Amino acid sequence: MTKGNNNDNVIKMPQRPSPNTAEDFIMLAEKSDDDEEIMDLLRKAIEAAKQDLGQNWEAKYQGRGWEAVETRPVMHAMAQLATELRWDDQLDEALSLCRRLLKLNPSDDQGIRYDLAGCLYEAGQDDELEKLFAQYPDEVAAAFKYTRALLYFRQDGASSRSAQALIEAFKCNIHVPVFLSDIVDLPQELPDPIGIGDDSEAVAYAMEYCYLWADTEGALEWMSDELAPKLRKTIADPEIANDIINALKGVYED
């Protein structure tokens, strides 16, 4: 009697294809919790896109990148990588990616200018940051308005220029000082969606830019002093208003 082959009854499962497109690598990056792996996968997404679009794709699509649907996956990967690099303090590469994305899409449908503003401030590249603000004169997002006020404070101290910029920022979003004061716990994840002028934008700004205020000596105390009358007028509960004002003076002190 011939012994049967046990492998005859084994069901062979189809092998999952290896990732080879930008979309594949982006999907894997979104599922990962490891920062280094995420950045590696996003770089692979960008390289994969080069194979599909051609080595000179950026020159080909400059100024109209977002209009061409085929470039959107790689632009998504570049934007996500820029954010990861910013949080990893790899500012030079993050800045390079942001600048390239704005050349591809000057109208900035992705909101790259907000990450760029944070990178430029942290890198101390004030001239380029002021040019970025001038490039979008009608911008009302907190990422621009409050960061511009912070820039002027770093440059001038408690001057009329910085005070005016801070008051303009407050008019655009009155909630930012509340969340910068840290009297309200911030969530683990960014709000989705993020609005303009509302709580969600203030939370997002505090989560992404609070370290810039904390690292700029005297900035939070200055915000407290300048906005104290407006906070007392805006916030119905005087006790809460005082808590915010006092917390801004010392919330980041060890």
Side-chain angles (χ1 to χ4, degrees):
M1 184 176 179
T2 304
K3 188 176 181 180
N5 188 342
N6 292 332
N7 292 330
D8 291 344
N9 296 322
V10 174
I11 299 175
K12 295 183 178 180
M13 299 296 293
Q15 291 185 343
R16 183 177 297 175
S18 299
N20 57 15
T21 68
E23 292 95 326
D24 291 337
F25 288 113
I26 292 171
M27 188 178 300
L28 290 173
E30 290 173 347
K31 293 178 180 179
S32 176
D33 294 323
D34 182 88
D35 293 341
E36 290 296 327
E37 182 181 41
I38 291 170
M39 288 189 284
D40 179 62
L41 288 167
L42 292 172
R43 288 192 175 96
K44 287 179 178 177
I46 295 169
E47 288 302 315
K50 286 183 181 179
Q51 300 300 317
D52 293 335
L53 299 173
Q55 292 297 317
N56 297 320
W57 72 273
E58 289 187 57
K60 177 182 177 182
Y61 290 100
Q62 184 170 321
R64 61 183 187 90
W66 196 249
E67 298 171 8
V69 177
E70 64 270 23
T71 67
R72 291 193 180 185
V74 67
M75 292 177 71
H76 281 307
M78 291 169 70
Q80 291 179 37
L81 180 56
T83 299
E84 293 291 332
L85 290 165
R86 178 187 168 201
W87 289 118
D88 199 48
D89 289 328
Q90 299 186 49
L91 294 180
D92 288 344
E93 189 177 355
L95 284 167
S96 174
L97 284 167
C98 289
R99 290 166 180 147
R100 287 161 60 191
L101 282 165
L102 284 180
K103 285 183 179 180
L104 283 163
N105 181 29
S107 61
D108 193 21
D109 300 83
Q110 294 176 279
I112 300 302
R113 58 191 180 275
Y114 307 133
D115 258 335
L116 180 56
C119 286
L120 289 170
Y121 183 91
E122 190 173 358
Q125 299 192 24
D126 293 5
D127 289 344
E128 185 175 350
L129 181 52
E130 293 203 63
K131 289 178 182 177
L132 180 67
F133 291 144
Q135 189 176 345
Y136 300 92
D138 299 325
E139 180 62 74
V140 296
F144 262 36
K145 289 294 189 178
Y146 275 93
T147 306
R148 182 191 312 213
L150 182 61
L151 174 66
Y152 291 168
F153 174 77
R154 185 169 72 180
Q155 292 176 336
D156 304 345
S159 66
S160 58
R161 183 175 76 142
S162 60
Q164 181 179 350
L166 183 60
I167 291 168
E168 287 179 6
F170 185 74
K171 288 177 180 177
C172 290
N173 192 314
I174 64 175
H175 309 286
V176 168
V178 177
F179 293 101
L180 284 180
S181 74
D182 205 30
I183 69 166
V184 179
D185 290 335
L186 294 174
Q188 295 296 316
E189 301 289 337
L190 285 171
D192 184 21
I194 298 172
I196 293 290
D198 60 9
D199 283 3
S200 67
E201 183 191 34
V203 169
Y205 184 80
M207 291 178 70
E208 295 199 303
Y209 298 86
C210 64
Y211 73 100
L212 298 181
W213 286 84
D215 292 344
T216 304
E217 185 176 357
L220 287 165
E221 184 175 2
W222 165 70
M223 172 183 276
S224 176
D225 292 339
E226 290 291 343
L227 295 181
K230 295 186 177 298
L231 288 167
R232 291 193 176 100
K233 184 177 180 180
T234 304
I235 298 171
D237 189 323
E239 186 175 345
I240 294 176
N242 283 329
D243 284 346
I244 294 168
I245 292 164
N246 292 329
L248 285 168
K249 291 180 181 293
V251 65
Y252 292 108
E253 292 180 0
D254 296 331

